[in-house]
Amino acid sequence: MTPTAASAAALPRSRAPYENWRPPVIGVMLLVPIGADELLVADATGCGDIVLPTGSVENDESPEQAAQRALQGTRHGLPVLRQVAVNHMQMRRRKVISHLVATHPLTHEDTADLAYRDPRAVLRVLPTGQAITELPENAQARLLLGLQALAIGVMAYLEGDVVQRVESVLAS
């Protein structure tokens, strides 16, 4: 062995951290109020597992455009109001970015025409309190933050479910 090869073999190998080995996964969750006190949720398996309607955000697409693809069937398109929160979460090998997009309130008649991107899921309208308690724990926190951001007119930024900053969107 040459002296440089021997010294290189003696050095410990550095390892890359398990971060961002692949491009990020970017998704959208929909906050769809029905009237003043109900929410639209998806029963993902048909057996009571409740989730917020979701979809993926494709390249060169805004979260609002992705929301239009996740729920279809309204006559004039989904009445997207605005984005209320974005969450960046580092998983083992990639970052997951979730946008929470709120719509204008819909009526029960509007929901009858909606089709979810996953045909196995059933769209349901639940009272807000019931929807909050039936969602998984991490989705509960995002939904509560989204409802609060929607009510006070702000945009919330999260890193791993920890609020980093809140900015007003009602400047105009």
Side-chain angles (χ1 to χ4, degrees):
M1 259 189 189
T2 64
T4 57
S7 60
L11 295 175
R13 290 180 61 183
S14 63
R15 294 181 183 221
Y18 281 140
E19 292 182 358
N20 303 326
W21 283 13
R22 297 186 239 159
V25 174
I26 304 173
V28 63
M29 296 182 301
L30 299 172
L31 173 55
V32 183
I34 309 300
D37 59 351
E38 294 177 310
L39 291 175
L40 183 71
V41 296
D43 186 345
T45 61
C47 64
D49 291 335
I50 303 299
V51 296
L52 292 175
T54 62
S56 61
V57 178
E58 302 298 331
N59 292 339
D60 300 326
E61 182 179 51
S62 72
E64 291 82 2
Q65 291 168 327
Q68 295 288 340
R69 281 188 306 103
L71 284 176
Q72 298 175 345
T74 57
R75 283 170 241 157
H76 303 291
L78 193 64
V80 172
L81 177 61
R82 67 181 179 84
Q83 189 175 180
V84 293
V86 63
N87 184 12
H88 293 254
M89 183 167 292
Q90 182 64 52
M91 304 305 279
R92 185 170 178 190
R93 293 188 172 131
R94 66 170 48 178
K95 184 172 266 199
V96 177
I97 303 168
S98 302
H99 299 272
L100 183 59
V101 174
T103 68
H104 287 281
L106 299 178
T107 65
H108 285 273
E109 294 77 29
D110 294 332
T111 63
D113 297 332
L114 290 177
Y116 188 43
R117 66 171 181 80
D118 183 353
R120 298 169 297 173
V122 176
L123 293 174
R124 295 175 44 197
V125 176
L126 296 178
T128 302
Q130 182 181 350
I132 291 169
T133 59
E134 290 189 21
L135 283 169
E137 188 175 330
N138 60 348
Q140 288 176 4
R142 280 188 228 134
L143 175 59
L144 288 170
L145 181 67
L147 287 169
Q148 183 180 20
L150 181 62
I152 61 175
V154 297
M155 173 75 176
Y157 297 89
L158 298 98
E159 284 284 336
D161 290 330
V162 176
V163 177
Q164 298 299 311
R165 68 183 192 279
V166 176
E167 296 175 356
S168 176
V169 293
L170 297 178
S172 48

